[in-house]
């Protein structure tokens, strides 16, 4: 691995301060397989005088979502009042995801999770990857053939007890014309689907935090589906159509539709 930049500690601090509550581990229910990480993303719809209007999704790698029933691990810090650590079995899991073309990425509107919280008497206290942090086409173009330090926020599988504690995995990414952006080397089990970050230099020892994209399954080096392409694919969805893709997976009973969430600031 190349030497980490001087602002390594600052990047780690920003990720853990701004995104620690953005991730959820999941797996196929009742089986030790299809381990992955999902995360919340706020797609910017419009800016108004009252604040930003965003469409909120869970985002992950597409392949692990192809299961009938999944088990999500909810951490106490994700709810208020604190929910306590608990497992959530999510039925009809595969049906709730929209696969974004050939990107290898799937997204799910958060309807079912909000309905679940309402029934259980708590509110979500999550962080989200925001449109301002998600990589643009220009951010991706600045990556070249030389590996750069990268940081993945995921939930590895503990080999001893199967626990899914959050971890920040430090590595490198590289972009080539043939293969796009890839994570250099392997990832811990359970970390596909997780967000990958870099600190993009701005000169004079300053940088901005950039979420490059989503770590995908791979043999050796893992592809990273970049947010410039994800954003384009999301923009092509029709969220207000009655039978639009992305209808949420349902708990029992089925969750009401909640496609839009407005944040005022």
């Amino acid at each position: 691995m190349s030497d980490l930049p001087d602002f390594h500690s600052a990047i780690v601090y920003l990720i853990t301060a701004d995104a620690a509550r953005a991730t959820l581990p999941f797996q196929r229910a009742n089986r030790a397989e299809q381990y992955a990480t999902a995360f919340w993303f706020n797609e910017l719809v419009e800016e108004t005088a009252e604040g930003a209007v965003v469409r909120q999704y869970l985002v992950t790698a597409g392949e692990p979502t192809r299961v009938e029933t999944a088990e999500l691990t909810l951490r106490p810090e994700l709810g208020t009042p604190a929910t306590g650590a608990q497992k959530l079995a999510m039925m009809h899991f595969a049906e709730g995801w929209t696969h974004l073309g050939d990107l290898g990425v799937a997204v799910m509107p958060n309807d079912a999770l909000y309905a679940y919280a309402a029934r259980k008497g708590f509110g979500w206290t999550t962080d989200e990857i925001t449109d301002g942090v998600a990589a643009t086409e220009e951010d991706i173009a600045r990556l070249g053939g030389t590996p750069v330090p990268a940081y993945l926020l995921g939930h590895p599988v503990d080999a001893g007890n199967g626990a899914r504690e959050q971890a920040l995995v430090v590595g490198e990414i590289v972009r080539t014309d043939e293969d796009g952006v890839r994570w250099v080397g392997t990832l811990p089990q359970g970390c596909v689907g997780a967000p990958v970050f870099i600190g993009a230099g701005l000169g004079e020892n300053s940088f901005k935090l950039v979420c490059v994209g989503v770590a995908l399954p791979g043999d050796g080096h893992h592809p990273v589906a970049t947010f410039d392409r994800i954003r384009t694919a999301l923009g092509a969805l029709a969220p207000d159509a009655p039978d639009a893709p992305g209808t949420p997976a349902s708990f029992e009973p089925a969750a009401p539709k909640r496609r839009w969430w407005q944040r005022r600031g």
Side-chain angles (χ1 to χ4, degrees):
M1 183 188 303
S2 61
D3 292 339
L4 294 175
D6 292 339
F7 44 71
H8 165 72
S9 296
I11 297 172
V12 170
Y13 172 79
L14 281 179
I15 294 171
T16 54
D18 295 345
R21 296 179 301 178
T23 61
L24 274 179
F26 70 93
Q27 67 183 77
R28 183 191 292 269
N30 304 314
R31 297 187 189 180
E33 59 186 34
Q34 295 289 74
Y35 293 103
T37 298
F39 63 94
W40 275 278
F41 170 62
N42 286 350
E43 178 198 15
L44 180 64
V45 176
E46 63 175 333
E47 295 275 7
T48 72
E50 297 180 331
V53 178
V54 302
R55 188 161 52 217
Q56 190 178 85
Y57 296 97
L58 277 182
V59 181
T60 191
E63 186 58 33
T65 67
R66 302 182 189 276
V67 298
E68 174 61 23
T69 304
E71 178 184 278
L72 285 71
T73 302
L74 306 184
R75 293 170 283 145
E77 61 268 29
L78 298 184
T80 181
T83 61
Q86 59 181 282
K87 304 289 187 181
L88 169 60
M90 194 168 189
M91 303 176 65
H92 314 299
F93 192 65
E95 299 172 15
W97 295 87
T98 297
H99 293 261
L100 301 181
D102 61 355
L103 295 185
V105 173
V107 298
M108 176 192 290
N110 281 335
D111 311 45
L113 293 178
Y114 279 104
Y116 173 80
R119 291 198 301 273
K120 295 295 184 179
F122 72 92
W124 292 102
T125 53
T126 62
D127 299 322
E128 300 87 29
I129 306 302
T130 64
D131 194 80
V133 173
T136 65
E137 186 175 351
E138 290 75 19
D139 293 323
I140 302 304
R142 291 190 187 101
L143 297 172
T146 302
V148 299
Y151 307 77
L152 177 145
L153 189 63
H155 292 266
V157 182
D158 188 289
N161 59 18
R164 304 293 305 280
E165 298 296 330
Q166 189 184 70
L168 188 64
V169 181
V170 181
E172 292 178 325
I173 59 171
V174 64
R175 182 179 69 84
T176 65
D177 292 338
E178 297 79 15
D179 299 325
V181 178
R182 287 186 172 267
W183 180 273
V184 179
T186 59
L187 287 174
Q189 184 184 29
C191 287
V192 296
V196 176
F197 300 87
I198 61 169
L202 299 175
E204 298 184 358
N205 295 319
S206 63
F207 72 95
K208 65 175 181 176
L209 185 66
V210 173
C211 183
V212 175
V214 181
L216 302 180
D219 185 9
H221 298 336
H222 287 255
V224 177
T226 56
F227 254 116
D228 57 332
R229 299 182 67 196
I230 293 170
R231 188 185 285 108
T232 298
L234 287 175
L237 300 181
D240 292 325
D243 298 318
T247 299
S250 60
F251 302 97
E252 297 297 337
K257 297 188 186 306
R258 183 185 186 278
R259 290 195 176 95
W260 297 92
W261 176 73
Q262 182 166 337
R263 182 182 63 205
R264 300 176 183 273

